[in-house]
């Protein structure tokens, strides 16, 4: 009897897409279960009672929550097609930058969708741009953050930057451009050409429609 793997996720969640991509890179068969985050299932509530959020990976009946934790679990459980660097220092460095992305860049992304004043928006965009420039410097001319092949940090970074790219399209602002972040933009284009990455993305038109709805709701204060 093989492993039973289920993923509780949401189609528009960058964090869900991280797990899907990791599972696909590892060649792990899994059942995807779409969650309605406005009407959460008992399976989600029981699997992640602390945060009650997706994604949740359920492996042989045992739930694991939080995307970075899940990625480490996947790597430690299925040894084939490693996504973490072999070197311990490189692993620690990858974990550091993953935390940087989630604690700095993602938080500003959330703020960007709810602020209304132009001064606040400009300040947040400047902060995001500075953090992305710092992240871009970590590429250091490499094809991928992990070196010669897609790995843990690429999985963490890609969907967040893609999320920003679509949001700036909706908000009609430009802070991720070839002029400002050439290495990061080229990197995003390289990853998009990888079939398994492309397959892990949400439908663009559907996602843009969602971002527009959220942005308009925040802009006009509707509920």
């Amino acid at each position: 009897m093989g492993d039973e793997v289920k993923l509780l996720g949401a189609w528009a969640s960058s964090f869900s897409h991280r797990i899907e991509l990791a599972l696909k890179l590892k060649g792990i068969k899994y059942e995807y279960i779409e969650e309605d985050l406005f009407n959460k299932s008992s399976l989600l509530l029981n699997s992640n009672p602390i945060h009650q959020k997706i994604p949740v990976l359920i492996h042989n009946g045992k739930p694991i929550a939080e995307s970075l934790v899940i990625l480490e679990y996947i790597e430690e459980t299925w040894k084939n097609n490693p996504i973490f660097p072999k070197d311990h220092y490189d692993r620690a460095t990858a974990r550091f930058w993953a935390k940087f992305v989630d604690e700095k860049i993602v938080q500003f992304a959330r703020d960007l969708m709810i602020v209304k004043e132009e001064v606040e928006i400009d300040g947040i965009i400047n902060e995001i741009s500075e953090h992305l420039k710092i992240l871009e410097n970590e590429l250091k001319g490499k094809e991928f953050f992990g070196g010669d092949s897609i790995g843990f940090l690429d999985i963490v970074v890609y969907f967040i930057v893609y999320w920003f790219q679509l949001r700036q399209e909706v908000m009609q602002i430009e802070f991720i451009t070839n002029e400002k972040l050439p290495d990061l933009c080229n990197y995003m284009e390289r990853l998009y050409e990888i079939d398994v990455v492309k397959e892990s993305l949400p439908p663009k038109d559907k996602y843009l429609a969602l971002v527009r709805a959220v942005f308009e709701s925040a802009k006009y204060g509707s509920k």
Side-chain angles (χ1 to χ4, degrees), residues 111-130:
D111 293 343
L112 187 60
M113 293 306 293
I114 60 173
V115 297
K116 299 174 185 177
E117 300 295 330
E118 283 192 26
V119 174
E120 289 183 275
I121 291 173
D122 290 343
I124 290 171
I125 289 171
N126 288 336
E127 290 284 355
I128 292 170
S129 298
E130 287 301 313

Side-chain angles (χ1 to χ4, degrees), residues 18 23-24 30 41 45 69 134 152 169 175 204 213 216:
R18 287 175 176 178
L23 291 170
K24 288 174 181 176
Y30 65 97
S41 71
L45 297 177
V69 175
I134 291 168
F152 167 70
E169 185 174 330
F175 55 95
K204 183 177 179 179
E216 290 300 313

Side-chain angles (χ1 to χ4, degrees), residues 144-187:
F144 304 98
F145 282 101
D148 297 328
S149 60
I150 187 171
F152 167 70
L153 189 52
D154 302 294
I155 294 169
V156 170
V157 168
Y158 183 79
F159 296 107
I160 299 302
V161 177
Y162 181 77
W163 183 28
F164 272 125
Q165 288 176 323
L166 295 189
R167 286 175 184 230
Q168 72 176 6
E169 185 174 330
V170 169
M171 298 177 73
Q172 298 182 334
I173 52 178
E174 292 187 342
F175 55 95
I176 302 177
T177 65
N178 283 315
E179 290 74 25
K180 295 178 180 178
L181 297 163
D183 292 337
L184 191 62
C185 287
N186 290 336
Y187 163 82

Side-chain angles (χ1 to χ4, degrees), residues 30-78:
Y30 65 97
E31 176 188 356
Y32 175 78
I33 300 172
E34 177 74 15
E35 280 288 335
D36 179 354
L37 300 182
F38 296 101
N39 183 25
K40 298 172 183 178
S41 71
S42 57
L43 180 58
L44 174 58
L45 297 177
N46 291 330
S47 299
N48 188 8
I50 304 299
H51 300 298
Q52 302 181 355
K53 294 179 180 180
I54 53 89
V56 176
L57 186 77
I58 304 176
H59 181 210
N60 293 334
K62 297 178 179 179
I64 305 97
E66 299 293 313
S67 65
L68 298 184
V69 175
I70 296 171
L71 290 173
E72 295 227 22
Y73 179 86
I74 289 172
E75 175 74 347
E76 291 169 0
T77 303
W78 293 278

